[in-house]
Amino acid sequence: MITVEDLYFGYQADRPILAGINFSVARGDLFALMGPSGSGKTTILRLFNLFITPWHGRILLDKVDLQRLTGKERLGMQRRMAMVFEAPALFNTSVAANIAYGLKVRHEKRATINNAVQEMLALIGLQKIARKSSSLLSRGEAQRVAIARAMIVRPEILFLDEPTANLDPHNVSRIEELIRTVNEQFGTTIVMTTHNMGQARRLATTVGFLYDGQLVEWGDTKTIFTAAVDERTTAFISGDLVC
């Protein structure tokens, strides 16, 4: 579904953040991009979601080069995607209103929106606080609302940037179960970043290891965790790689 070919990007002309990145993600896959902080994981998600443009190389979605899209085509492609950032940036309104936002801007009928919001509230287990202000939510609750807000428009691809960062174990477990449900129940292709190797191992069907702007290794999760080819991947998994 997604193909990355020889991708280069940086914010300064002489300092590339990503260099020579190549990998692919199959439709329906749950792909986890592992790596230490500062390795370029979030930058890849921003490139996928068309927030920024690569210096060199191509990103293909269903064989369509994202960099060759016109304005209208670009909008249409973005509507096939959704992204949830590490810090859940919610609107200063109720839980239900936050979740409904994507359908409201698409001018869906009120009944359609209400039914979809109830479905999403049930999915994230927050029916009882639908009218609660987002400003009063815990970090874990806010992240679940952010995922529901992304999923209400039924994206084909969901990008998650460190979705459980700074959460306690209970909320990590709740979010991981939600991610697994979204992937399996809705068939949503998920690309997520994480520095939590246990999380990648639990959730992902395929993983990649990004280090110092280079994709060191990628492939089937079991193979990478039990028989990695590159010694840097092995060192990162074992905790011996100094980041």
Side-chain angles (χ1 to χ4, degrees), residues 156-173:
E156 295 177 44
I157 308 170
L158 178 63
F159 301 119
L160 301 171
D161 188 18
E162 298 282 3
T164 61
N166 303 312
L167 294 182
D168 62 82
H170 172 72
N171 276 297
V172 169
S173 179

Side-chain angles (χ1 to χ4, degrees), residues 27-186:
R27 185 178 298 278
D29 202 358
L30 203 168
F31 177 78
L33 191 59
M34 305 183 298
S37 298
S39 58
K41 303 187 301 297
T42 299
T43 300
I44 287 181
L45 293 191
R46 290 174 62 82
L47 285 162
F48 280 176
N49 213 27
L50 301 172
F51 292 152
I52 51 179
T53 303
W55 286 355
H56 176 76
R58 300 196 302 169
I59 302 170
L60 307 176
L61 178 56
D62 289 337
K63 300 182 180 180
V64 176
D65 188 340
L66 298 186
Q67 278 60 60
R68 293 183 177 274
L69 299 176
T70 65
K72 189 173 182 179
E73 292 169 338
R74 186 184 182 91
L75 178 60
M77 190 66 78
Q78 285 180 310
R79 286 197 166 195
R80 298 174 61 186
M81 314 170 183
M83 183 164 176
V84 177
F85 297 93
E86 179 178 339
L90 301 181
F91 302 118
N92 187 24
T93 185
S94 71
V95 167
N98 267 280
I99 295 173
Y101 178 76
L103 293 183
K104 284 188 175 181
V105 297
R106 286 166 171 75
H107 305 294
E108 295 288 350
K109 294 180 180 179
R110 181 176 296 180
T112 299
I113 295 173
N114 290 339
N115 290 337
V117 168
Q118 291 306 312
E119 182 183 4
M120 288 297 107
L121 285 167
L123 177 69
I124 63 176
L126 295 179
Q127 303 98 312
K128 294 182 179 180
I129 61 170
R131 296 185 179 182
K132 188 175 183 178
S133 171
S134 64
S135 63
L136 301 177
L137 299 178
S138 69
R139 176 67 180 263
E141 290 170 337
Q143 191 68 305
R144 280 187 274 163
V145 171
I147 292 173
R149 183 175 63 185
M151 284 305 303
I152 200 168
V153 297
R154 291 292 193 275
E156 295 177 44
I157 308 170
L158 178 63
F159 301 119
L160 301 171
D161 188 18
E162 298 282 3
T164 61
N166 303 312
L167 294 182
D168 62 82
H170 172 72
N171 276 297
V172 169
S173 179
R174 292 291 299 266
I175 296 295
E176 287 185 359
E177 184 58 34
L178 176 58
I179 293 169
R180 189 178 291 110
T181 299
V182 165
N183 177 243
E184 295 176 357
Q185 181 175 318
F186 296 101

Side-chain angles (χ1 to χ4, degrees), residues 169-238:
H170 172 72
N171 276 297
V172 169
S173 179
R174 292 291 299 266
I175 296 295
E176 287 185 359
E177 184 58 34
L178 176 58
I179 293 169
R180 189 178 291 110
T181 299
V182 165
N183 177 243
E184 295 176 357
Q185 181 175 318
F186 296 101
T188 309
T189 303
I190 296 177
V191 179
M192 61 179 287
T193 66
T194 183
H195 61 266
N196 185 327
M197 291 172 289
Q199 182 171 85
R201 194 167 193 168
R202 288 189 296 271
L203 291 178
T205 49
T206 55
V207 298
F209 173 50
L210 194 67
Y211 183 70
D212 198 24
Q214 296 184 326
L215 190 66
V216 174
E217 196 164 359
W218 71 279
D220 171 77
T221 301
K222 183 178 180 180
T223 301
I224 295 296
F225 275 93
T226 60
V229 175
D230 194 286
E231 61 182 14
R232 290 169 293 179
T233 308
T234 303
F236 183 75
I237 291 171
S238 66

